[in-house]
Amino acid sequence: MLKQLETIYTNALNELDTITDSDTLTIWFRQHLGKKGEITLALRSTADLPKEERAAFGQRANVIKNDLTAQYEAREDLIRQQELARNLEEGAIDVTLPGRRIPTGGLHPATQTLREIYAIWADMGFQVFRSRDVEDDDTNFTLLNIPPHHPARDMWDTFHVATPGVILRTHTSPGQIRAMHAYGENGTKPVRVILPGMCYRYEQISARSEIQFNQVEGLAVGHNIRMTDLKGTLAEFARRLFGADKRVRFRGSYFPFTEPSIEVDVECILCEGQGCPVCKYTGWLEIAGAGMVHPVVLQNGGYDPTQWSGFAFGLGPERSTMLKHGIKDIRYFWGNDLRFLEQF
Ligand code: DAH
């Protein structure tokens, strides 16, 4: 019995010497000193020995148990220190390394231009009115003096929704009707708004035309608003957006909702009027359609056209963004290609 005990003791000590991690150490403890461990069982079996052997065996077993416990604790300390040292080494931080760059987003180039445009019009007393993207046929066309079957409807290729009479707006002009009703108080109050937003047209997508694009509509309704107000205001806008030295010109045109109607050109910002491929060698770039609000439209907005007048305009901000940055293809705008977007 005693010999067996000594063997257990020697083996246990030898094993303990090779243990270097706390998991194995726990297993070792369970095997030798735990409730069902070899030493514990040996101590418990003392009672089964012949009387004369009991005292010596019990004494020796206790000495062994105490020694193993002490050795175990020493080992545990050592392993804990080693593990701590290892953790410190593995988790070491080199504080001299450069930090990792946090990726930050940026504003879409179209948004940047829109914000510049808002700021300029805000300076001149125009507030932003957000009209709806999904329009009804009446507001998009009829109330703007474009009756059903009128050939002028061909100017806008329209996306129709399954519900009859519901369309995606083809331009921001229907917002004029909504703004007059929202702010005009039945034709008794003046209105000065810009209406920015997405427009949709069922068109062949190409480098020059997309099926969706932004417009910024403008509307001023008041007493004695005249063509000269429109010209002066748009000229000032163009100079603020494109540069104070730029010349602006107005050409007669046709839109059903304005009378008279004009188109607004600014001196080519690339060749400064000398003529280049961008301005198709004319020296001029078209930036807006505009005109004096048609009496029928004023009436549809709740105003008496004999007492009130107004001007309106429609700008294409993507066009000016393309000009400004030399973007050759409008499809980049909504392609969401980061290689394009990250340049702005
Ligand atoms: N709605 C026109 C278009 O999409 C642009 C336009 C022209 C707007 C003249 C106006 C305007 O307000 O007066 O082609």
Side-chain angles (χ1 to χ4, degrees):
M1 247 349 236
L2 207 53
K3 229 173 111 192
Q4 216 177 326
L5 186 65
E6 294 298 338
T7 316
I8 294 174
Y9 180 38
T10 332
N11 286 346
L13 278 179
N14 287 342
E15 260 178 59
L16 190 63
D17 258 354
T18 66
I19 293 174
T20 52
D21 66 288
S22 47
D23 286 348
T24 318
L25 187 66
T26 308
I27 294 169
W28 180 92
F29 184 86
R30 230 181 278 138
Q31 267 172 12
H32 302 285
L33 298 169
K35 258 197 219 141
K36 289 180 183 159
E38 288 172 304
I39 302 298
T40 319
L41 292 180
L43 263 169
R44 217 177 284 155
S45 70
T46 313
D48 303 335
L49 291 174
K51 223 178 185 173
E52 59 279 11
E53 290 178 28
R54 274 183 216 163
F57 183 84
Q59 235 171 21
R60 183 62 188 148
N62 266 318
V63 169
I64 291 175
K65 184 189 169 193
N66 289 340
D67 182 48
L68 284 180
T69 307
Q71 299 279 357
Y72 163 79
E73 280 165 4
R75 196 78 197 168
E76 194 182 34
D77 258 4
L78 182 72
I79 288 176
R80 202 176 294 137
Q81 275 173 30
Q82 282 174 346
E83 284 183 349
L84 180 66
R86 210 180 307 142
N87 280 344
L88 282 175
E89 198 179 318
E90 280 169 8
I93 295 170
D94 182 352
V95 291
T96 64
L97 284 174
R100 253 181 230 132
R101 212 169 128 245
I102 298 165
T104 48
L107 289 178
H108 192 285
T111 307
Q112 291 180 22
T113 307
L114 281 171
R115 291 191 178 183
E116 278 174 46
I117 293 174
Y118 301 160
I120 295 170
W121 289 106
D123 258 4
M124 299 200 268
F126 287 73
Q127 88 184 82
V128 171
F129 180 87
R130 297 220 171 252
S131 191
R132 59 188 66 186
D133 286 35
V134 179
E135 259 300 355
D136 53 69
D137 194 280
D138 266 3
T139 316
N140 194 82
F141 292 120
T142 313
L143 296 177
L144 291 173
N145 200 30
I146 318 167
H149 312 300
H150 192 284
R153 285 202 179 197
D154 290 350
M155 288 166 77
W156 300 275
D157 299 302
T158 309
F159 279 112
H160 295 268
V161 172
T163 314
V166 179
I167 61 165
L168 299 183
R169 66 175 169 200
T170 60
H171 51 174
T172 43
S173 301
Q176 289 186 30
I177 302 287
R178 301 201 178 274
M180 284 189 277
H181 286 299
Y183 294 145
E185 297 184 14
N186 298 313
T188 61
K189 292 278 185 321
V191 169
R192 241 193 251 179
V193 288
I194 54 167
L195 308 120
M198 231 11 130
C199 303
Y200 308 86
R201 288 187 197 170
Y202 183 53
E203 274 176 33
Q204 181 69 49
I205 297 172
S206 72
R208 295 181 62 86
S209 68
E210 253 287 8
I211 57 172
Q212 68 174 76
F213 53 89
N214 281 295
Q215 277 191 347
V216 180
E217 190 87 6
L219 174 70
V221 178
H223 291 299
N224 298 318
I225 292 188
R226 290 180 274 206
M227 190 71 168
T228 45
D229 298 313
L230 171 59
K231 289 175 71 174
T233 311
L234 279 174
E236 179 60 19
F237 165 77
R239 284 193 287 262
R240 289 205 198 176
L241 189 65
F242 296 105
D245 54 328
K246 294 285 172 295
R247 291 188 298 160
V248 179
R249 79 174 181 187
F250 302 89
R251 285 177 289 113
S253 186
Y254 171 75
F255 298 101
F257 30 85
T258 43
E259 181 59 36
S261 301
I262 55 171
E263 272 169 282
V264 189
D265 297 342
V266 67
E267 207 173 10
C268 180
I269 58 174
L270 290 184
C271 64
E272 302 189 330
Q274 297 307 300
C276 70
V278 169
C279 61
K280 300 208 193 92
Y281 301 99
T282 62
W284 297 96
L285 298 166
E286 187 192 320
I287 57 161
M292 301 307 292
V293 182
H294 196 288
V296 166
V297 175
L298 281 173
Q299 213 152 23
N300 291 337
Y303 289 93
D304 174 0
T306 65
Q307 302 299 313
W308 297 83
S309 58
F311 67 69
F313 56 83
L315 303 158
E318 268 82 85
R319 272 218 59 177
S320 23
T321 310
M322 289 172 78
L323 295 169
K324 200 162 112 189
H325 298 294
I327 300 166
K328 296 260 148 42
D329 193 320
I330 197 168
R331 288 171 290 196
Y332 283 126
F333 278 92
W334 322 123
N336 274 343
D337 187 333
L338 284 178
R339 290 169 303 176
F340 169 72
L341 295 174
E342 278 170 351
Q343 295 178 53
F344 302 94

